[in-house]
Structures are given as structure tokens and as C-alpha cells.
Amino acid sequence: MKSSRLVSILLLLQTRGRMTAAQLAEELEVSVRTVYRDVEALSAAGVPLYGDAGHAGGYRLLDGYRTRLTGLTADEAEALFLAGAPGPAAQLGLGSVLAAAQLKVRAALPQELRIHADRISGRFHLDAPGWYADADETPYLPAVADAVWNSRVLDVLYRRWREPTDVERRLEPYGLVLKAGRWYVVAGPGPRTYRVDQILRLAAADEEFTRPDGFDLAAYWAAYQRDFHDRLHREEAVVRLAPGVTLDHAADHRTDTDGWTRVTVPIESVDRAHAEFLRLGTGIEVLEPPELREKIARTAAELAEMYGNLGSNGGD
């Protein structure tokens, strides 16, 4: 809508300073001609907006001019307060800063939108970690966050899963990611991904680094997750599922005459699939690979013997 686009132009100029018509058009995904019309509409409404000609020209607001947040819609106001994650902010040492920012934003909202914001914050709460898992100890998280913000090199002692487990690394931290309650730092050279809770020792070097041009943290993380899942599930298993039993990522569904469904599912390894499939008990029959079928058969036989012996002992 035109009204929301006008507000967007105001906020862009307010936060970024001088911008050309072409830059505004690219940001708003409209034509340059549309930007010209919007700028004329803003000027006609009394907004102190000026255009400078020439190579270094562009549009800018009069120094000191600030717009209030009255252009927010109800949905935008709700989303703004839903996005505030007090737990992660506190871990980063920004809990009080977030609270102060939300208080200022709330004070700037019209009464109607303030009611919407209060409603969303009173009805939704984000708790990122999963059940049955202790929170990771991340004593170095604030220091890592500071290095990310100030482009400072870090010298760390890092614990990885393979030998040698404890290794020294020199990191150029590009960004932080919170995934399922666990913090990761994406750092060069590479870049590569490190768990913050596995940093055993940290020292900030007296050295700055230059973040690669065009590096997109969200795009990197999306690609990293796709690659992780591709590497995680390199093998396949063919199984039969009892009526009503389902498995994620199952393919090639075929129903047998007895009502069971034959499917192909990706697996990480025989050992991991063995543990996962046992949870389904008699609701699953493994057909392939042979080593997985044999492993589950051995476990079933051992369980039958164990419970058979317990029954015999109980009758003595």
C-alpha cells in the first residue's frame, strides 16, 4: 500500500541518511518513477525532505527531523513485541537494553497499537531450549558477541568431537546464531561453524578483521543446514510400517495386501537407525539393509531372552 511505502521511505532516510531514488526503488521493490511520486507526496504533506543533484546526490531529511512510529500497523506492532526474546538477549548481556528499547517503542505507539502490543506480549512467550536438556553453559558468549560487533579476532581453545579434541583456533567471528537453545558462532577463515559452549578458553587479540563483502549470515546458515542434513542422511533403509505408523521423510510408499506400508527412509547410520526404529516396537519391520535387519533381530532375541528369564525367575 502507498501509505506503508511512504512510512518505509521515511524510516529508511531516517536510519540510513542520504539515499538515491534508485537505492530507494531497489529497497522497496518499486520503480524509480514511483519513488519520485512518493517523494512529491511526502513533500506536499510537509515532511522536510530534500533532494540533492549530482553524482553524490540523493534524498535526505532535514537534520534533526525524526518521525514517530505512528505508521506501524497492528500486525507490525504485535510482531515487534513477539520478536523480543528476553532469554537470548539476557545471555548476550542485553536484557536491560531490550527492556528499555521496548519501553520506548511502546511509549511511541498510539493507544490502539499499544493495546495490541500488550496483548501479544501477554499471550506468547519464547522458550528456545528443548525439554529434558540442561541449558548449555556459555560463559564466553558476551565476549564472542562483542568480537562479532567490533570485528575483533579471537584466539580460542576449542573442544571438538574428534581427536585431537582440544585445539587452538584463531577466529574471525562474522556472526552468532541461536538454534534450538544452542549458540553457534560463524567465523572465518572458511567460514566454519563453532559451538560457543565448546570454547574452553578465549582471548581477544589486539587485531581487527574485515568481514567479507557480501557475506549473508542467514543465507550461510540456510546452506549450512542443508549440507548438514545431506551429510547426516547418506544411507537408506527399506521398512514396512504397521497401519497408523509413520516416519518423517519416508518415500516410495506402497501398501501391501496386509495393510502395512512399505517405504524407503533416509538414515544416518545403521547404529542410529537401530536405536530409532526400536522405539516403534512391533510397528515396524526392517527389510533392508541386511545388517540393520540382523542387528534389530539380535536385539529382539536378547530382549526376549531377558524377559523370558525374568519370568522364570519370578516363578521360582
Side-chain angles (χ1 to χ4, degrees):
M1 296 177 59
K2 181 177 180 179
S3 59
S4 63
R5 194 171 64 243
L6 295 179
V7 172
S8 296
I9 291 177
L10 275 176
L11 294 177
L12 283 169
L13 294 177
Q14 184 171 296
T15 55
R16 300 188 186 180
R18 189 192 313 270
M19 293 183 70
T20 66
Q23 290 172 330
L24 287 168
E26 181 180 1
E27 188 73 30
L28 300 172
E29 298 182 348
V30 297
S31 67
V32 172
R33 186 182 298 273
T34 298
V35 171
Y36 289 151
R37 289 198 297 265
D38 289 345
V39 168
E40 290 178 0
L42 288 170
S43 297
V47 175
L49 187 151
Y50 297 92
D52 297 325
H55 177 71
Y59 294 108
R60 64 183 179 87
L61 293 170
L62 181 68
D63 291 344
Y65 177 82
R66 309 290 292 178
T67 181
R68 298 188 62 184
L69 296 176
T70 53
L72 284 175
T73 66
D75 288 343
E76 290 168 342
E78 291 176 357
L80 179 63
F81 278 80
L82 182 60
Q91 288 180 301
L92 290 169
L94 299 174
S96 59
V97 176
L98 175 64
Q102 287 187 330
L103 181 62
K104 291 178 181 178
V105 171
R106 184 181 180 279
L109 291 174
Q111 177 65 22
E112 181 182 353
L113 297 188
R114 194 178 307 149
I115 293 173
H116 280 283
D118 290 343
R119 182 187 304 166
I120 200 76
S121 59
R123 285 165 172 77
F124 293 93
H125 175 71
L126 174 63
D127 185 12
W131 290 104
Y132 311 115
D134 294 332
D136 294 328
E137 294 293 332
T138 53
Y140 295 112
L141 179 60
V144 174
D146 182 72
V148 168
W149 185 251
N150 294 295
S151 299
R152 288 286 181 182
V153 174
L154 294 175
D155 292 318
V156 304
L157 180 66
Y158 184 77
R159 175 160 293 168
R160 58 182 185 177
W161 63 270
R162 65 177 183 272
E163 296 288 344
T165 55
D166 297 354
V167 295
E168 293 185 351
R169 291 287 184 265
R170 192 168 180 81
L171 306 182
E172 299 176 356
Y174 300 156
L176 280 164
V177 176
L178 178 63
K179 171 71 172 179
R182 178 168 289 159
W183 286 97
Y184 298 85
V185 57
V186 177
R192 300 181 64 182
T193 303
Y194 301 85
R195 281 176 51 174
V196 177
D197 65 309
Q198 296 302 303
I199 295 177
L200 307 179
R201 188 177 66 235
L202 178 148
D206 188 19
E207 177 184 347
E208 293 186 3
F209 66 88
T210 301
R211 206 165 185 262
D213 290 338
F215 177 77
D216 187 322
L217 180 62
Y220 167 85
W221 187 256
Y224 173 79
Q225 288 190 99
R226 288 193 299 269
D227 181 63
F228 175 80
H229 286 292
D230 289 343
R231 289 183 285 108
L232 191 64
H233 298 113
R234 289 182 173 178
E235 302 180 42
E236 290 183 339
V238 179
V239 302
R240 292 201 330 135
L241 301 176
V245 177
T246 60
L247 283 174
D248 292 337
H249 310 298
D252 302 327
H253 296 257
R254 189 178 72 189
T255 303
D256 292 338
T257 56
D258 58 0
W260 284 51
T261 304
R262 189 179 302 235
V263 298
T264 300
V265 293
I267 62 173
E268 178 181 350
S269 65
V270 168
D271 289 340
R272 186 64 178 267
H274 169 262
E276 291 293 323
F277 292 166
L278 279 177
R279 296 187 298 106
L280 298 177
T282 58
I284 185 172
E285 177 189 0
V286 175
L287 303 179
E288 298 177 13
E291 57 268 30
L292 177 57
R293 180 180 175 90
E294 293 167 3
K295 189 177 181 67
I296 289 182
R298 286 196 302 270
T299 301
E302 292 169 0
L303 288 171
E305 182 179 359
M306 177 187 298
Y307 284 98
N309 289 340
L310 286 175
S312 299
N313 292 339
D316 290 342

